[in-house]
Structure formats: C-alpha cells, structure tokens
Amino acid sequence: MQPKPSHATPTRFIGYVSGHRFGLTLVACALVLVVMLLVVYDSVGFTPIWASQKIAGAA
C-alpha cells in the first residue's frame, strides 16, 4: 500500500500560472504602465513641461 501524495498534481489555476508566467508578468507590467500614463495625462497632459498651463499657472 502506497501513501497518498498530498500535492501530486497542481490545480488547473496553479498549472496555468506556472506555464504562462512570462506572459502574465508582461500583461501586469503593461497594465501598470497604462495606469501610470493615465495619471500623468490627467495631471499635466502629454505636452512639454514648459508649455503646460497647469504648471505655469501654479508658479
């Protein structure tokens, strides 16, 4: 009689994450970059700093 292994096969989710680790990391980095760009666009826009009205008005 053999002892029953506790974790012989990973669950589907763990197996998927292990197999697609690089792609999931790339997607996570892309999402973080999009959020950062949206914050920058909302605060000062995508114009040069010297041409931004929000920064020029604050000084």
Side-chain angles (χ1 to χ4, degrees):
M1 183 171 174
Q2 295 178 346
K4 186 176 182 181
S6 59
H7 295 301
T9 58
T11 62
R12 278 193 245 172
F13 178 74
I14 300 291
Y16 181 82
V17 169
S18 295
H20 296 88
R21 189 174 8 183
F22 177 76
L24 292 172
T25 303
L26 193 64
V27 168
C29 290
L31 289 174
V32 169
L33 179 64
V34 166
V35 169
M36 289 187 330
L37 288 175
L38 287 173
V39 168
V40 169
Y41 180 74
D42 187 47
S43 61
V44 293
F46 290 127
T47 59
I49 293 176
W50 54 267
S52 177
Q53 294 296 326
K54 290 183 180 179
I55 293 178

